[in-house]
Amino acid sequence: MNEGEACVPPTLETERLVLRPMRIDDWPDYRDLMMSERARFMGGPHTQETAWGMFCHDVAQWPLMDHGALMIEDNSSGACLGQVGINHGPLFPEHELGWLVYEAAEGRGYAFEAASAFRDWARDVRRLPSLVSYMDADNRRSASLAERLGAALDPRAPRPDPKDLVYRHF
């Protein structure tokens, strides 16, 4: 990206999904997830104020760092299923590939499909040399997904929380 050039988040398509920029109408479902017990592996449950800050952070990374979050949408129904993102900056020691799916979308391979596509975009378009995924040690579902994506545990990697596991991609 050239100085002064506006960053436009991409829209990526897979067999079943559209990964698209975030919109304000994504906020209610995102907020509800972040304020629920389902957010326990993401430092939650969060307050509405904290959830709003996280939502805005996901959007703000695009113009600041040329990456951020995309919403996962079913390409046939248009239903929003969750989010996939690349985080970095002062809160993340390395570029992090993260994902979340809403409860109704769990267990259908959407997170794998979305994370695979965004990982490939990060490698092929952004030319990032590697990505990591930080996760709570008790989050076995995310650890299994990271392994399915081809990532391996990296016990020496820096991490935002010393208790986190770090999976390295590429």
Side-chain angles (χ1 to χ4, degrees):
M1 190 164 78
N2 296 324
E3 187 176 333
E5 191 175 296
C7 171
V8 177
T11 297
L12 308 175
E13 294 188 32
T14 70
E15 184 178 331
R16 301 180 297 161
L17 306 172
V18 175
L19 309 180
R20 58 150 177 89
M22 296 171 67
R23 303 185 299 241
I24 192 62
D25 61 333
D26 297 319
W27 164 243
D29 288 337
Y30 181 96
R31 175 201 60 216
D32 292 349
L33 171 71
M34 291 302 178
M35 292 178 66
S36 77
E37 180 58 30
R38 288 177 42 80
R40 70 187 176 280
F41 296 132
M42 297 176 280
H46 299 280
T47 65
Q48 178 169 285
E49 292 78 10
T50 303
W52 177 248
M54 294 166 69
F55 187 83
C56 292
H57 170 269
D58 292 345
V59 174
Q61 286 190 97
W62 284 107
L64 295 173
M65 297 182 214
D66 202 19
H67 60 71
L70 298 173
M71 300 311 287
I72 304 168
E73 190 173 276
D74 181 291
N75 69 7
S76 61
S77 71
C80 186
L81 307 171
Q83 182 191 72
V84 63
I86 297 174
N87 294 294
H88 197 233
L91 304 179
F92 300 90
E94 297 186 61
H95 287 92
E96 185 228 14
L97 175 65
W99 51 81
L100 62 88
V101 291
Y102 299 135
E103 189 170 15
E106 277 191 351
R108 298 183 183 164
Y110 296 132
F112 177 80
E113 191 172 328
S116 295
F118 211 26
R119 177 202 60 206
D120 294 349
W121 176 87
R123 180 189 61 228
D124 300 340
V125 175
R126 284 285 280 115
R127 304 273 189 232
L128 297 177
S130 74
L131 291 169
V132 295
S133 292
Y134 304 115
M135 65 195 65
D136 186 291
D138 292 331
N139 192 346
R140 279 306 313 149
R141 289 186 81 170
S142 277
S144 294
L145 177 53
E147 291 165 2
R148 281 185 58 216
L149 289 164
L153 271 174
D154 184 349
R156 294 186 306 267
R159 58 206 74 218
D161 182 328
K163 297 175 286 191
D164 281 349
L165 298 176
V166 181
Y167 281 84
R168 185 162 305 279
H169 300 269
F170 302 157

